[in-house]
Amino acid sequence: MITDKERLLKILNKEKTDRVACICPGGMMNMITTDLMDISGISWPEAHLDPVMMANLALASYENGCFENIGVPFCMTIEAEEMGAEVTMGSKVFEPHVSGYAYDSVSEWRKLKPIDLSNGRARVVLDAIKILKSKNLDAPIVGNITGPISTASSVIEPVSFYKSLRKDNKTVHEYMEFVTDEIIKFANAQIDAGADVIAISDPSGTGEILGPKFFDEFVVRYINRILDGIKDRNVGTIVHICGQMKNVYNEVGKITSDALSFDSIVSIKESRKHLGDRVLMGNVSTYALEFATEEKVQALTRACIRSGSNIISPACGLGTRSPIANIQSLIKAIMQEDYQEES
């Protein structure tokens, strides 16, 4: 019988399998809810800072039938904090967030410090992955990194950063090369620790914010640089981009990840028309997962499958108050589908 890990990796490799997978990677696409914290007895913000707690809280999602993977961390602030941004650790309900930028201008990027993998929250993530790997589970371990634009605009004041794309293009590229190299270092360390898949989420790098030209110049270029930095390693790769795709489908098609993930505003059926046989992931509304009925969640899941999604997942990070029964409805709906014609 195929394991959850084997199924996901087969799908990412475009190999035939029994059915679609159901995952929530972690990182920006956080899968932890207050229900899970109560069930496991492990809560935020403590679990952001302790590798054993982080590993066991991530494992609770899998053990309680929510998703077919385990993913860490539960936020997208680690890279920015390591490079010098101030981060507030949040609460049981709210994720960590950047509360202060390292610098106001990209011209100051050379003052930034590199990521220290031996200390801080980067070390917590790596140790959590090692703990999960030691359990020899049937579930894939997904390591998460924050995309280059989102990291860059979390370290340097974002309005100044976006203005500099035009005003100081050369310096922005120098800054982006530094940020990207640090992200590659963190991604490869997660792989060395035992991650089976690396998910890259870049919510600030949207076509709506950047337009097709800058999307290609900064999002596609630097995400592909990350992917090239890990391409010789035997892991799967997922890239999540927020916002509408209709103006940047050509550019999105250049991203070389194994799978592409989109927000619920994007039609899977339309994406399939534009992106051909690419592996697509998504995109059940997180609003529905928090506020709708189980029946509605199952209907949305079936619609995603029938529209051509290869990997069912929430469209973004779960609201922490999402009922666990709604989340479990994703897998219930998947199991009710007929996959005789699936490949």
Side-chain angles (χ1 to χ4, degrees):
M1 186 174 178
I2 189 170
T3 67
D4 293 329
K5 177 179 175 179
E6 290 168 340
R7 180 181 299 107
L8 180 61
L9 294 179
K10 280 179 176 291
I11 291 171
L12 293 175
N13 287 323
K14 294 185 177 179
E15 298 175 19
K16 187 174 181 179
T17 187
D18 58 338
R19 60 170 174 81
V20 300
C22 181
I23 73 168
C24 193
M28 184 204 79
M29 300 179 75
N30 159 63
M31 81 300 291
I32 302 303
T33 65
T34 52
D35 279 355
L36 277 171
M37 294 184 214
D38 292 340
I39 290 168
S40 65
I42 303 168
S43 291
W44 293 349
E46 293 82 6
H48 297 301
L49 303 170
D50 181 281
V52 175
M53 295 177 76
M54 180 178 285
N56 288 337
L57 184 55
L59 186 58
S61 174
Y62 181 68
E63 291 179 334
N64 284 280
C66 296
F67 298 104
E68 298 174 324
N69 75 293
I70 303 160
V72 295
F74 314 125
C75 73
M76 52 183 301
T77 61
I78 292 171
E79 296 90 344
E81 183 180 41
E82 284 292 324
M83 293 181 201
E86 295 179 9
V87 170
T88 298
M89 293 311 300
S91 66
K92 182 177 181 179
V93 176
F94 298 108
E95 298 172 25
H97 63 276
V98 171
S99 55
Y101 303 105
Y103 296 104
D104 292 327
S105 169
V106 294
S107 65
E108 300 177 277
W109 75 264
R110 291 178 180 82
K111 300 177 184 177
L112 297 172
K113 59 181 182 178
I115 294 176
D116 182 358
L117 300 177
S118 63
N119 287 293
R121 288 202 292 143
R123 176 65 181 271
V124 170
V125 172
L126 299 178
D127 286 348
I129 293 173
K130 290 176 183 177
I131 291 167
L132 291 166
K133 190 68 174 181
S134 71
K135 296 180 182 296
N136 196 29
L137 302 163
D138 289 334
I141 300 169
V142 181
N144 287 269
I145 55 175
T146 306
I149 289 288
S150 298
T151 300
S153 59
S154 294
V155 176
I156 300 294
E157 199 282 325
V159 174
S160 172
F161 170 78
Y162 286 117
K163 287 181 178 179
S164 295
L165 299 182
R166 294 183 186 276
K167 292 183 176 181
D168 198 358
N169 186 275
K170 180 176 180 293
T171 303
V172 174
H173 276 296
E174 293 171 349
Y175 171 45
M176 290 296 294
E177 287 173 5
F178 168 79
V179 167
T180 302
D181 286 345
E182 292 303 302
I183 292 171
I184 291 170
K185 182 171 72 175
F186 190 30
N188 283 332
Q190 291 183 44
I191 295 167
D192 290 340
D196 303 299
V197 175
I198 292 293
I200 307 168
S201 297
D202 209 350
S204 299
T206 72
E208 294 159 310
I209 294 174
L210 298 172
K213 178 183 179 296
F214 283 146
F215 186 90
D216 189 58
E217 183 177 352
F218 289 99
V219 176
V220 176
R221 175 176 177 171
Y222 290 105
I223 284 180
N224 280 347
R225 180 168 172 168
I226 294 170
L227 294 166
D228 287 344
I230 62 178
K231 69 179 182 180
D232 292 332
R233 296 164 179 264
N234 188 29
V235 295
T237 54
I238 298 167
V239 168
H240 177 86
I241 302 291
C242 287
Q244 275 286 6
M245 295 295 114
K246 59 185 178 181
N247 294 325
V248 290
Y249 271 120
N250 288 337
E251 290 75 19
V252 168
K254 299 176 187 177
I255 295 174
T256 60
S257 58
D258 297 322
L260 294 167
S261 168
F262 304 126
D263 204 346
S264 58
I265 196 172
V266 177
S267 163
I268 292 290
K269 189 175 291 186
E270 180 185 350
S271 300
R272 179 60 66 203
K273 291 178 182 177
H274 285 277
L275 297 168
D277 67 347
R278 293 295 297 270
V279 176
L280 300 181
M281 181 174 114
N283 57 358
V284 178
S285 164
T286 51
Y287 182 88
L289 281 163
E290 185 166 1
F291 298 108
T293 63
E294 294 176 47
E295 291 74 19
K296 178 64 174 178
V297 171
Q298 292 188 38
L300 290 172
T301 303
R302 289 192 292 270
C304 285
I305 296 169
R306 294 169 188 179
S307 295
S309 179
N310 307 104
I311 304 168
I312 296 300
S313 74
C316 196
L318 293 177
T320 51
R321 295 187 177 94
S322 301
I324 194 168
N326 276 7
I327 300 166
Q328 292 165 336
S329 293
L330 294 166
I331 293 179
K332 288 179 182 177
I334 288 171
M335 295 303 187
Q336 293 168 2
E337 286 291 283
D338 183 354
Y339 297 96
Q340 291 181 357
E341 302 300 322
E342 294 291 327
S343 62

